[in-house]
Amino acid sequence: MAAEGDCASGDRMALAAATEAVAAGWVLELSCCCLCQHFVEGRAAEFGRWRAVAQAVINGFSKIATHQKKMVYLCQLLIRIANGKKLECNFEEDPKISPLESALSYWTLLEREESKFDKLHEDIRRLIQIQVVAVHMEKRYFKEAAEALERMFTDSESDKPLRGKLTTIIKSKDPYIPLLQSFNYDLLISKVKSYVKRFMNENEKNFLLQAAMEQVESKGLEAVALQNITVSASEEEENNLETTQRFTEEQPSTTNPLPEDAAKSITRRCSMRKFRARSVLQSVNSLQNVEEVVDSQNSGRRRQPWTLEEDKKLKSGVREFGVGNWAKILVHGDFSNRTSVMLKDRWRTLSKIKSSKLLRKNKAMHKGT
């Protein structure tokens, strides 16, 4: 009897473990789906939230099933690409390995899961390799760029041409040469988005999303969702009067049990809001740019005062690169929580202050004479 009880208990535990594994797989699929969608649409905040979910689920797996590998690798790739310019982020045990180097390793794993290769695969690989060097050089970490180059490339003949070019670029210590400008980070993001869209088209169905949609439709919750979207849109329009750098996004439901006139009115307003949001997002070419816009808004609200040290860096940068080269000056000065637009505005203010001082000085001289 005791043996039978132990056997039954073991069966229940095995069943519970199998059930948890299936449920975790569903959550992984949902996380990957949402992560891909927000990456493609440039929604930094939503991407950040689903990144945490995806990472927690992935870390919870004791063993990744074969059919789950591609999703796991893609999630890890996107997380690293999204943080590719943040060299302070560490995804590997060795702190010297940059986010993009880590991304390259996951891209290699993803390629192994592919049934066939095309030019897009090669483009993404080369762009990641170029940007590993470019990101270090933008920070003027030339030694680290050379070390990363040694880690990335093998001695294969196919790698030699690009490796040679990047070696020459690092020696020049010029992060603004044509090759790095032509194959820039925005192009990398664009290519990765193309790959993600292809993945999404091949994996359209998602069990949890379908179940959620059925739940929403059966309870008539889409009407509430549409109303909430309208209220949210109105509040954000008011906020737009206070800030010009703002974007919103809505996802109106495709079904609508509301009275016909009310439904049309709400759908029309939501469509207008989505059109305005898309117009703004078109000017934001990558997820990195979206994060910069959000950061710019936050720092703008706080009105961070300029320090004497920052003014010195700005003046030094203008002397070295000239007025107007704000992007170069931003990198050269290693400013914290500043953008090129902020540098431009601050230089305009400093110029006005200088002109005002000269004017007062001339007036004093004239009075003295």
Side-chain angles (χ1 to χ4, degrees):
M1 293 294 290
E4 289 180 2
D6 291 341
C7 184
S9 176
D11 289 343
R12 284 195 297 271
M13 290 177 65
L15 179 61
T19 303
E20 287 180 7
V22 171
W26 289 343
V27 178
L28 173 64
E29 291 176 10
L30 176 64
S31 302
C32 184
C33 176
C34 293
L35 210 60
C36 288
Q37 187 70 36
H38 296 316
F39 183 90
V40 168
E41 295 179 359
R43 299 178 180 180
E46 289 83 351
F47 181 89
R49 286 194 288 271
W50 280 103
R51 165 194 167 169
V53 175
Q55 200 69 70
V57 174
I58 292 170
N59 292 341
F61 282 114
S62 58
K63 183 179 179 181
I64 300 172
T66 302
H67 71 280
Q68 295 171 335
K69 286 183 178 180
K70 192 170 183 178
M71 284 184 290
V72 171
Y73 298 155
L74 182 55
C75 288
Q76 299 287 34
L77 173 79
L78 296 184
I79 290 170
R80 286 153 176 77
I81 292 289
N83 290 275
K85 287 196 171 187
K86 300 175 182 177
L87 295 178
E88 68 276 10
C89 289
N90 296 124
F91 293 98
E92 307 293 340
E93 291 184 4
D94 185 352
K96 292 182 180 179
I97 297 177
S98 65
L100 284 182
E101 288 178 80
S102 183
L104 185 61
S105 66
Y106 277 100
W107 180 246
T108 301
L109 293 172
L110 260 177
E111 287 182 319
R112 292 176 185 172
E113 299 298 315
E114 296 286 1
S115 57
K116 61 180 180 179
F117 293 91
D118 57 22
K119 189 175 183 298
L120 181 60
H121 290 88
E122 182 66 19
D123 287 346
I124 291 175
R125 170 169 288 276
R126 293 308 185 196
L127 280 166
I128 294 175
Q129 290 171 328
I130 291 170
Q131 282 304 307
V132 166
V133 172
V135 169
H136 280 95
M137 291 190 66
E138 285 174 7
K139 301 287 187 181
R140 308 189 79 79
Y141 298 155
F142 304 118
K143 179 184 175 183
E144 290 80 357
E147 292 173 352
L149 187 68
E150 289 297 317
R151 289 192 293 268
M152 275 194 300
F153 288 100
T154 62
D155 293 328
S156 66
E157 289 296 321
S158 61
D159 286 335
K160 283 184 178 180
L162 181 58
R163 181 174 184 170
K165 289 179 181 178
L166 292 176
T167 300
T168 304
I169 289 171
I170 294 171
K171 289 179 180 178
S172 73
K173 296 186 177 181
D174 181 6
Y176 304 101
I177 67 172
L179 177 67
L180 299 185
Q181 296 299 302
S182 298
F183 298 95
N184 56 33
Y185 210 90
D186 285 349
L187 181 59
L188 170 60
I189 292 291
S190 175
K191 292 289 185 179
V192 173
K193 284 182 178 181
S194 298
Y195 177 83
V196 172
K197 288 176 183 177
R198 181 192 298 179
F199 174 84
M200 292 167 67
N201 289 335
E202 295 171 354
N203 300 269
E204 289 182 355
K205 295 183 179 180
N206 180 272
F207 174 77
L208 285 182
L209 283 179
Q210 287 181 322
M213 179 61 73
E214 292 173 5
Q215 180 81 350
V216 168
E217 290 176 347
S218 66
K219 294 190 175 183
L221 296 177
E222 66 271 30
V224 177
L226 280 172
Q227 290 170 342
N228 287 341
I229 288 171
T230 307
V231 171
S232 176
S234 299
E235 291 175 350
E236 285 170 357
E237 282 181 349
E238 291 177 5
N239 292 335
N240 282 340
L241 296 176
E242 301 175 1
T243 175
T244 57
Q245 288 183 309
R246 185 87 173 178
F247 71 90
T248 59
E249 52 284 306
E250 288 78 25
Q251 290 178 302
S253 178
T254 55
T255 58
N256 197 334
L258 291 173
E260 186 175 355
D261 291 342
K264 287 181 178 179
S265 174
I266 292 174
T267 303
R268 186 161 52 249
R269 278 177 284 178
C270 290
S271 297
M272 291 176 65
R273 294 292 300 161
K274 288 188 72 175
F275 174 78
R276 284 195 291 270
R278 282 196 299 270
S279 298
V280 177
L281 285 172
Q282 284 171 357
S283 66
V284 183
N285 296 321
S286 69
L287 188 65
Q288 304 298 341
N289 288 341
V290 174
E291 291 173 339
E292 289 172 8
V293 169
V294 175
D295 290 343
S296 176
Q297 292 170 1
N298 292 337
S299 60
R301 292 192 192 101
R302 289 193 295 269
R303 288 283 184 183
Q304 292 180 334
W306 281 75
T307 65
L308 182 60
E309 184 64 27
E310 285 180 316
D311 285 343
K312 287 180 179 178
K313 288 181 181 179
L314 178 56
K315 292 174 183 177
S316 175
V318 170
R319 282 195 298 271
E320 182 171 351
F321 298 105
V323 176
N325 293 313
W326 308 118
K328 289 184 178 181
I329 295 170
L330 184 65
V331 174
H332 168 76
D334 193 24
F335 292 89
S336 178
N337 297 321
R338 300 294 184 188
T339 66
S340 55
V341 175
M342 291 179 182
L343 299 189
K344 178 183 176 182
D345 292 340
R346 181 57 180 174
W347 181 253
R348 186 184 295 118
T349 300
L350 291 176
S351 298
K352 288 180 180 178
I353 293 172
K354 184 177 180 180
S355 298
S356 178
K357 287 182 178 179
L358 287 173
L359 184 61
R360 287 198 299 270
K361 185 177 180 180
N362 289 334
K363 286 182 178 180
M365 289 176 64
H366 284 303
K367 285 184 180 179
T369 57

